[in-house]
């Protein structure tokens, strides 16, 4: 049964269109909605809406739902639309009138906001750990190969000598910035929307600080209108930060595709990282790097979807917000998988020192020649022109 049901039969085609695939997506939010409902039940007891035994029964059943979901045994029917309705229906079936009390001073709007914030908190924590794992994998790679020289490039042409340490260190340093950026953003969104109902509060004196504390939020997001307006805004920020993580992986995947190709081959991927051709027996293709490179573009398309959908909406809730969910879930999934792959690549990547050395051709040292003349007292621009004559 739908929580908003008014004894009218919704057109089946309309129902299918409005529900979409939320009932499937929401499986990953079941635990978080139950956690928020436990805190909410404790608060309702504090303000004398729930009796002690009612609170205890609700908490017991909510923990039961969490266990069922973890074992793949909690179903969300399409007719229920989402996890919030499915959970309330379960509580009502099991506890009768006590189950019906759980929605007091709540709307599905602040329920989904709260569940998503809790989900984001865990996902951000997971991605931060993966970034740390990447930083360590890159640092180990530098420890192993760092002093080896190879050409540095500008304009996709040889420029000046570089080292493995300098090249890989560029990714390591950027990953540290990504980690710092994500840490800041995690604090920025660490605000509890629970208790703001549909965006205008509830005509009941509740304890929002109490539920925020129970759920481990840093603070309460006080303005109920802003709670609704922040949906989309917070997702957009997350999408952008994770997009920058993927941008780094895109760039280094491109490097490795180029620098591992025959005729260059500064790097070698292990045989169990490459794929073959259905027609050409000799091929060893860097599909994993090509897909890693391409995933960045998927992320920015999803970010653009969020940014586009949240524009031109007046303040307050809109059903458009439902469509943010799938995009941000996919962004988290892609970033998680990509960081796992990248750490594995750097843990297994080999450097071909002979090929690197052979590629250090004479023109790479032109700038160094010019500065030798500068050290002898020649003005830089004159030294520059003198050396450039050798490469006409």
């Amino acid at each position: 049964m739908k929580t908003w049901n008014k004894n009218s039969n919704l057109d089946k085609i309309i129902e299918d269109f409005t529900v979409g695939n939320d009932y499937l997506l929401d499986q990953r939010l079941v635990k978080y909605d139950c956690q928020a409902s436990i805190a909410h039940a404790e608060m309702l007891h504090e303000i004398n809406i729930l009796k002690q035994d009612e609170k205890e029964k609700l908490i017991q059943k909510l923990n039961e739902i969490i266990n069922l979901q973890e074992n793949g045994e909690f179903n969300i029917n399409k007719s229920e639309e989402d996890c919030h309705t499915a959970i309330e229906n379960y509580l009502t079936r099991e506890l009768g009138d006590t189950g019906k009390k759980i929605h007091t001073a709540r709307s599905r709007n602040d329920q989904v906001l709260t569940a998503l914030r809790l989900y984001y908190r865990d996902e951000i924590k997971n991605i931060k750990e993966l970034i740390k794992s990447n930083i360590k994998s890159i640092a180990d790679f530098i420890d192993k190969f760092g002093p080896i020289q190879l050409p540095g490039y500008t304009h996709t042409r040889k420029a000046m000598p570089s080292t493995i340490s300098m090249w890989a260190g560029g990714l390591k340093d950027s990953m540290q910035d990504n980690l710092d950026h994500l840490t800041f953003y995690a604090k920025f969104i660490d605000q509890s929307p629970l208790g703001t109902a549909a965006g205008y509060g509830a005509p009941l004196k509740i304890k929002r600080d109490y539920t925020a504390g129970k759920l481990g939020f840093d603070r309460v997001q006080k303005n109920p209108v802003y709670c609704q307006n922040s949906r989309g805004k917070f997702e957009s920020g997350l999408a952008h930060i994770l997009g920058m993580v993927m941008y780094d992986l895109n760039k280094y995947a491109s490097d490795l595709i180029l620098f591992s190709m025959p005729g260059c081959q500064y790097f070698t991927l292990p045989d169990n990282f490459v794929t073959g051709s259905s027609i050409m027996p000799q091929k060893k293709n860097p599909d994993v790097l090509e897909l890693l490179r391409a995933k960045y573009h998927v992320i920015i398309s999803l970010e653009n979807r969020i940014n586009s959908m949240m524009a031109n909406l007046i303040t307050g809730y809109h059903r458009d917000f439902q469509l943010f969910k799938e995009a941000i879930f996919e962004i988290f999934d892609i970033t998680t998988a990509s960081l796992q792959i990248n750490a594995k690549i750097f843990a297994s990547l080999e450097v071909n020192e002979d090929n690197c050395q052979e590629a250090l051709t004479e023109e790479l040292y032109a700038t160094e020649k010019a500065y030798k003349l500068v050290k002898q007292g020649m003005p830089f621009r004159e030294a520059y022109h003198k050396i450039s004559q050798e490469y006409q």
Side-chain angles (χ1 to χ4, degrees):
M1 180 178 176
K2 298 173 174 61
T3 55
W4 53 264
N5 189 277
K6 297 181 177 65
N7 300 318
S8 59
N9 293 321
L10 186 65
D11 185 289
K12 185 67 170 60
I13 294 175
I14 299 297
E15 179 180 28
D16 288 346
F17 185 77
T18 55
V19 171
N21 60 351
D22 251 27
Y23 69 105
L24 301 173
L25 294 172
D26 271 18
Q27 280 292 344
R28 64 175 89 194
L29 294 182
V30 169
K31 174 177 73 171
Y32 301 106
D33 192 66
C34 287
Q35 289 172 354
S37 293
I38 288 169
H40 189 68
E42 290 174 330
M43 186 276 293
L44 291 177
H45 174 254
E46 287 287 312
I47 64 171
N48 300 315
I49 297 295
L50 291 177
K51 297 173 183 176
Q52 177 70 23
D53 67 315
E54 291 177 320
K55 178 193 79 169
E56 290 174 357
K57 288 176 182 176
L58 282 165
I59 291 173
Q60 179 189 355
K61 290 299 176 183
L62 286 162
N63 281 318
E64 188 175 286
I65 292 170
I66 292 172
N67 290 330
L68 286 170
Q69 196 278 331
E70 287 175 349
N71 293 320
E73 297 172 5
F74 184 76
N75 295 318
I76 304 171
N77 298 320
K78 189 169 187 177
S79 61
E80 292 174 310
E81 297 187 325
D82 53 41
C83 70
H84 319 294
T85 301
I87 290 166
E88 185 174 335
N89 286 348
Y90 185 93
L91 295 175
T92 301
R93 284 195 303 271
E94 295 287 316
L95 301 174
D97 286 346
T98 298
K100 295 176 183 178
K101 292 183 179 183
I102 194 64
H103 202 64
T104 307
R106 282 200 306 186
S107 164
R108 285 192 304 171
N109 294 0
D110 65 334
Q111 275 188 269
V112 67
L113 270 172
T114 306
L116 285 169
R117 298 278 169 87
L118 294 172
Y119 167 76
Y120 296 160
R121 189 166 68 190
D122 277 0
E123 288 296 309
I124 290 170
K125 189 182 301 181
N126 176 53
I127 285 177
K128 285 172 65 177
E129 290 305 311
L130 287 171
I131 291 174
K132 291 175 186 176
S133 176
N134 270 261
I135 291 171
K136 184 181 185 307
S137 184
I138 298 163
D140 291 345
F141 177 77
I142 291 170
D143 286 343
K144 188 175 180 181
F145 299 112
I148 296 173
Q149 286 192 314
L150 78 168
Y153 289 78
T154 67
H155 304 275
T156 324
R157 301 290 185 273
K158 288 183 182 180
M160 293 176 67
S162 181
T163 62
I164 294 295
S165 178
M166 188 184 297
W167 174 79
L171 179 57
K172 177 172 164 287
D173 289 355
S174 191
M175 280 293 169
Q176 183 60 56
D177 281 349
N178 291 333
L179 184 61
D180 293 343
H181 199 175
L182 203 51
T183 299
F184 163 78
Y185 205 78
K187 185 171 178 59
F188 172 67
I189 68 171
D190 195 8
Q191 308 178 49
S192 174
L194 186 57
T196 58
Y200 301 95
L204 188 68
K205 189 168 183 179
I206 59 174
K207 296 183 176 181
R208 296 191 61 211
D209 286 321
Y210 180 89
T211 52
K214 284 284 183 180
L215 291 168
F217 281 109
D218 181 62
R219 61 201 182 281
V220 170
Q221 190 175 8
K222 292 182 178 178
N223 187 294
V225 171
Y226 177 45
C227 287
Q228 293 304 318
N229 292 347
S230 64
R231 195 166 175 193
K233 177 180 178 180
F234 283 12
E235 284 78 4
S236 175
L238 272 173
H240 184 71
I241 293 169
L242 298 179
M244 289 300 95
V245 173
M246 292 300 299
Y247 166 78
D248 288 337
L249 302 188
N250 166 282
K251 183 173 288 292
Y252 276 77
S254 296
D255 274 10
L256 288 173
I257 291 166
L258 176 64
F259 295 151
S260 63
M261 67 184 294
C264 184
Q265 214 159 7
Y266 305 148
F267 302 105
T268 299
L269 286 167
D271 284 345
N272 62 347
F273 278 47
V274 296
T275 61
S277 163
S278 64
I279 187 172
M280 295 170 284
Q282 83 283 8
K283 293 300 293 294
K284 292 183 178 180
N285 300 323
D287 289 28
V288 64
L289 293 171
E290 292 168 342
L291 290 170
L292 193 59
R293 177 176 62 182
K295 291 291 186 181
Y296 165 67
H297 300 281
V298 178
I299 294 286
I300 59 174
S301 71
L302 291 166
E303 179 188 353
N304 185 58
R305 184 197 301 182
I306 293 170
N307 291 340
S308 179
M309 284 192 300
M310 73 183 192
N312 303 322
L313 303 176
I314 66 168
T315 57
Y317 176 77
H318 305 271
R319 192 65 179 265
D320 309 54
F321 295 169
Q322 175 180 326
L323 301 182
F324 297 153
K325 204 185 297 181
E326 185 171 14
I328 198 68
F329 287 174
E330 189 173 354
I331 287 169
F332 276 122
D333 290 348
I334 288 172
T335 307
T336 295
S338 298
L339 284 167
Q340 290 170 339
I341 289 294
N342 194 68
K344 187 179 282 286
I345 286 169
F346 273 90
S348 305
L349 192 64
E350 290 294 328
V351 177
N352 302 313
E353 187 170 2
D354 290 345
N355 291 347
C356 292
Q357 185 63 43
E358 187 178 338
L360 293 168
T361 45
E362 188 269 340
E363 74 275 13
L364 284 161
Y365 301 93
T367 303
E368 184 178 340
K369 289 181 184 179
Y371 274 92
K372 283 181 180 178
L373 296 176
V374 168
K375 289 176 183 177
Q376 295 169 14
M378 184 179 292
F380 172 75
R381 191 51 60 202
E382 186 176 333
Y384 172 93
H385 286 299
K386 181 176 178 62
I387 298 302
S388 70
Q389 297 302 311
E390 299 178 18
Y391 300 97
Q392 296 298 318

